[in-house]
Every structure is written in C-alpha cells, then in structure tokens.
Amino acid sequence: QVQLVESGGGLVQPGGSLRLSCAASGFTFSIYTMNWVRQAPGKGLEWVSSIHSDSKATYYADSVKGRFTISRDNAKNMLYFQMNSMKPEDTAVYYCTKDLFVINSQGVQVTVSS
C-alpha cells in the first residue's frame, strides 16, 4: 500500500524559502520516478517537478524553473523540494506522487503572502 507523507509547508513571505519533505513507504521507492504536483485554490492539479529514480534527470514546470529544486535520498525513502524566491502564485497544496496525478496523501499547505 503506497503511503506518502509530506511535511515542511507553512506561511512564507514573497522571496522566502521553504523545504518540503516526503516520506515514502509501501513500495520500492528507489525504482520509481517521483513527482511534486500542486493544487492552487479553486484550480486543478498542476504538475510542478519530477525526478528519475537515480536522480540523473530532473524536470520542472516553467513557472518554477530556476527557483525550485527537486531531490531524493533513496537510502532513506525520502523526496525533497527546495523552494526559493517564492511568489504568491506558488500558494497551493503540494503533493508528492508516485503516479503523476494519483494522490495518495493529504498534501501540505504552502502559503506565500506578506
């Protein structure tokens, strides 16, 4: 049974930083591409970033490229998301996912506001 638990969200001012973490269990984490997706208030799910199983390839939506960094630690079954230079439009619930838009977690709220 896939279990994913996000942490690290909160309220941050524009220009600030947050680091999200995702603890994975119930599947062989090390062989899967993992993703971060988000859902802004009143909107649908938006893909934000992906990382290959061996971390050799990463992908970002244009809206976050150059500001956010995805990483993983296969030894710890952990996925990370470093978010810098944050903008109000980054406000959303963030989810880590194994299968792109399949949500197996509660997500974490990120609010960017002054």
Side-chain angles (χ1 to χ4, degrees), residues 6-51:
E6 301 92 347
S7 61
L11 174 65
V12 63
Q13 292 187 341
S17 298
L18 281 176
R19 188 192 193 209
L20 304 183
S21 298
C22 172
S25 61
F27 64 103
T28 307
F29 178 79
S30 61
I31 66 172
Y32 285 94
T33 291
M34 293 296 294
N35 317 285
W36 287 99
V37 302
R38 67 186 181 186
Q39 187 167 27
K43 297 188 177 181
L45 287 172
E46 175 192 16
W47 169 77
V48 184
S49 183
S50 299
I51 183 169

Side-chain angles (χ1 to χ4, degrees), residues 4-10 18-24 29 32-40 44-52 57-64 68-73 77-83 86 90 92-110:
L4 299 164
V5 180
E6 301 92 347
S7 61
L18 281 176
R19 188 192 193 209
L20 304 183
S21 298
C22 172
F29 178 79
Y32 285 94
T33 291
M34 293 296 294
N35 317 285
W36 287 99
V37 302
R38 67 186 181 186
Q39 187 167 27
L45 287 172
E46 175 192 16
W47 169 77
V48 184
S49 183
S50 299
I51 183 169
H52 277 190
T58 57
Y59 307 92
Y60 299 93
D62 287 344
S63 58
V64 306
F68 293 6
T69 303
I70 190 171
S71 62
R72 65 192 294 164
D73 185 337
N77 286 1
M78 293 293 295
L79 180 71
Y80 303 103
F81 207 33
Q82 179 67 44
M83 304 186 293
M86 297 186 73
D90 295 321
V93 177
Y94 284 72
Y95 302 90
C96 63
T97 69
K98 166 182 168 286
D99 301 303
L100 190 55
F101 289 123
V102 176
I103 304 299
N104 298 99
S105 60
Q106 291 191 330
V108 63
Q109 177 69 49
V110 171

